Amino acid sequence: MGFTDKQEALVKDSWEFMKQDIPQLSLRFFSLILEIAPAAKNMFSFLKDSDELPQNNPKLKAHAVKVFKMTCESAIQLRKKGEVVVGETTLKYLGSIHLQKGVADPHFEVVKEALLRTVEEAMGKKWNNEMKEAWAEAYDQLAAAIKAEMHAEA
Ligand code: HEM
């Protein structure tokens, strides 16, 4: 499905704004993931052994930033080409790392919900339904590409 210039801009502009505070964004994103699915905790090496979210943990930040950034890149590709294009090796790597860590399809819904709520809270009054739809579509396409790779490998 094609993506409009406006949808791309909604995702890009909100990411530009949100990335000014990565520590806050990544903590909030992970606390929402754990709120929605407490069991997800055991999948993340950096969360396993502690009762609270580690502040400023580089791995926690890295996963949060990657999910947001790659969703944003997915939006750009959707507008340009009408489909998600992630470099071949990256997609293969993404498929195998998630398979290896025990991630399954329903987890992608959890992360989607957490991502949308994080954007909603960060954007405050600027949040609207169009912005939500744009992030949701960009994420869904990216998640579908990763899941397809996981299924191909499993
Ligand atoms: C690792 C991206 C969804 C759990 C990774 C890595 C990337 C990535 C790039 C490798 C990190 C590295 O080697 O530095 C993404 C993207 C997602 C997504 C773009 C969605 C579109 C998920 C979901 C889960 C998940 C749904 C499960 C709730 C993990 C785990 C690791 C990982 C457990 C290993 C992290 C560690 O313990 O160090 N992800 N991910 N990811 N991802 Fe995801």
Side-chain angles (χ1 to χ4, degrees), residues 89-105:
T89 39
T90 318
L91 204 48
K92 275 214 159 36
Y93 170 68
L94 284 173
S96 50
I97 185 112
H98 291 102
L99 208 55
Q100 206 183 93
K101 299 285 171 177
V103 177
D105 286 7

Side-chain angles (χ1 to χ4, degrees), residues 76-131:
I76 298 168
Q77 294 297 332
L78 283 172
R79 204 265 306 149
K80 277 197 198 147
K81 306 200 164 124
E83 62 177 330
V84 175
V85 182
V86 185
E88 185 62 23
T89 39
T90 318
L91 204 48
K92 275 214 159 36
Y93 170 68
L94 284 173
S96 50
I97 185 112
H98 291 102
L99 208 55
Q100 206 183 93
K101 299 285 171 177
V103 177
D105 286 7
H107 296 122
F108 282 88
E109 286 305 307
V110 172
V111 165
K112 178 183 177 181
E113 180 70 31
L115 174 128
L116 293 177
R117 279 169 63 185
T118 305
V119 183
E120 177 174 5
E121 289 179 13
M123 298 311 292
K125 286 197 179 116
K126 293 197 195 113
W127 172 255
N128 58 40
N129 209 45
E130 248 186 312
M131 193 182 279

Side-chain angles (χ1 to χ4, degrees), residues 40 43-46 59 63 66-67 70 93-94 97-98 101 103 107-108 111 139 142-143 146:
M43 290 192 298
F44 292 95
S45 55
F46 47 89
K59 282 193 163 179
H63 193 267
K66 275 173 184 152
V67 173
M70 292 187 72
Y93 170 68
L94 284 173
I97 185 112
H98 291 102
K101 299 285 171 177
V103 177
H107 296 122
F108 282 88
V111 165
Y139 176 88
L142 173 61
I146 299 174

